[in-house]
Amino acid sequence: MGMSTPAILNADLHCHSIISDGTLTPEELAMRAHRNGVHLWSLTDHDVLGGQERAQIAAENLGMHYLSGVEISISWLGQTVHIVGLGFDHTNKTLQDGLFATRNGREQRARQIAAQLHQVGIENSYEGALSFAGNPELIARTHFARFLVDQKICKSMDEVFKKYLVAGKPGYVSHRWASLDEAVQWIIGAGGQAVIAHPGRYRLDDLQMNELYARFKDLGGLGIEVVTGSHSPDQYKTYAKVAERYGFMASRGSDFHDPHESDIDLGHLPHLPEHLKPIWSVFH
Ligand code: AMP
Ligand code: MN
Ligand code: MN
Ligand code: MN
């Protein structure tokens, strides 16, 4: 990396393994990223670092550069927002303890989700979701969604997230995650850099988004995802402008979870707009 960090580097700095809500192992993801031409990779499981050593070893064995990664769930103005951390020391105790506390409420939440689904006639979804979870500490809505598709209650993950598990629908349980301040401080305290994940996905108005950017920047947050599997091409342009306006560095990541579910494969995203500063230019 270092000097050779142009916008056209094939960096994929956002994806998930079976340690959170993806379906491939860290080793399978590393192989897939490498096969797809990725030069710099990061595994960013939700609220957990259990895959970091495996991902790093697998990447380096394939000759890929690796950055440690995580995607932290936070609550911001009543909405869930995701903050990606990159390039930190994954053995940092404060970060590990903070992530443990963040994921700790997931089992209870999953039981409440299942109780609501039971009310609408969907039985045993806690056990069902758990059977799809590679890590019982990290039971996510994704696992419920896979169970509902498997049971033919819905045809697709998209259909699940329209009819269930979201605000106003059966199986939605509001949850208190970490705070923005905590997440950014844990990441920076462990020597890493913080990035706002897929800013186009939040149900926040312009004023609320601007408040998020401003607070994030005050805390030392450095980047936002511009090119992600969660954005449309129009949104690449929108968030390129946000990056310029706030002086954020830009990140790029597929948010790959599964070969069949994910629309964008590892490493298959468009490049960052050339005028933006890539987040990877700060890592040496
Ligand atoms: P949780 O952290 O348990 O709230 O689960 C959030 C996860 O659900 C996200 O990281 C995605 O993997 C998944 N998800 C949310 N919305 C959708 C959607 N519309 N389609 C597919 N997966 C989704
Ligand atoms: Mn996910
Ligand atoms: Mn996310
Ligand atoms: Mn993600």
Side-chain angles (χ1 to χ4, degrees):
M1 292 174 276
M3 297 308 289
S4 58
T5 53
I8 58 162
L9 183 85
N10 194 343
D12 192 326
L13 304 181
H14 190 149
C15 71
H16 300 274
S17 77
I18 52 163
I19 312 295
S20 66
D21 64 346
T23 61
L24 302 184
T25 63
E27 291 80 9
E28 288 167 334
L29 289 166
M31 269 165 26
R32 194 177 182 98
H34 183 252
R35 187 173 358 113
N36 289 352
V38 171
H39 287 281
L40 174 64
W41 177 53
S42 182
L43 171 65
T44 55
D45 277 316
H46 297 285
D47 307 322
V48 67
L49 302 177
Q52 291 307 304
E53 261 170 57
R54 289 171 61 181
Q56 174 156 11
I57 290 167
E60 289 172 357
N61 284 339
L62 291 161
M64 270 189 306
H65 292 285
Y66 186 75
L67 287 174
S68 58
V70 68
E71 182 175 22
I72 306 180
S73 313
I74 68 159
S75 297
W76 171 258
L77 303 176
Q79 299 287 319
T80 299
V81 165
H82 287 167
I83 302 295
V84 164
L86 296 171
F88 49 80
D89 168 9
H90 71 86
T91 67
N92 180 275
K93 185 82 166 56
T94 308
L95 174 62
Q96 286 183 347
D97 290 351
L99 294 176
F100 179 81
T102 303
R103 65 182 182 264
N104 200 24
R106 280 182 178 270
E107 182 189 337
Q108 171 82 11
R109 170 187 185 239
R111 291 189 188 280
Q112 291 171 334
I113 291 174
Q116 281 192 29
L117 293 177
H118 171 78
Q119 296 292 318
V120 296
I122 300 169
E123 307 301 340
N124 301 320
S125 66
Y126 177 77
E127 294 74 16
L130 201 57
S131 76
F132 282 91
N135 174 3
E137 263 192 32
L138 211 296
I139 183 161
R141 285 183 296 159
T142 326
H143 303 118
F144 281 90
R146 291 193 184 119
F147 173 69
L148 295 191
V149 172
D150 180 67
Q151 295 292 296
K152 305 203 162 43
I153 293 162
C154 290
K155 286 202 191 67
S156 67
M157 301 288 278
D158 271 353
E159 188 186 335
V160 176
F161 283 99
K162 287 201 175 79
K163 295 186 177 165
Y164 301 96
L165 312 180
V166 294
K169 306 289 173 172
Y172 176 70
V173 175
S174 74
H175 194 75
R176 184 70 179 274
W177 302 107
S179 70
L180 176 68
D181 293 34
E182 287 172 322
V184 175
Q185 285 161 3
W186 294 336
I187 294 163
I188 293 176
Q193 299 296 350
V195 174
I196 298 174
H198 42 62
R201 261 195 26 198
Y202 307 124
R203 287 171 184 269
L204 294 166
D205 64 26
D206 287 352
L207 208 66
Q208 294 170 319
M209 286 304 292
N210 287 332
E211 212 179 310
L212 172 66
Y213 299 137
R215 180 70 193 152
F216 177 74
K217 199 169 169 77
D218 277 351
L219 289 164
L222 203 65
I224 64 169
E225 288 184 345
V226 172
V227 175
T228 130
S230 299
H231 283 171
S232 66
D234 264 359
Q235 288 175 318
Y236 302 159
K237 293 188 191 131
T238 303
Y239 294 99
K241 286 191 197 124
V242 170
E244 284 186 291
R245 181 161 8 110
Y246 282 87
F248 288 137
M249 301 182 104
S251 193
R252 175 181 187 263
S254 56
D255 208 354
F256 180 85
H257 284 72
D258 170 83
H260 304 289
E261 287 169 15
S262 298
D263 295 331
I264 298 201
D265 207 333
L266 285 158
H268 280 188
L269 297 153
H271 292 300
L272 287 180
E274 296 234 7
H275 61 283
L276 298 181
K277 287 201 194 92
I279 188 87
W280 48 89
S281 64
V282 302
F283 296 103
H284 296 278

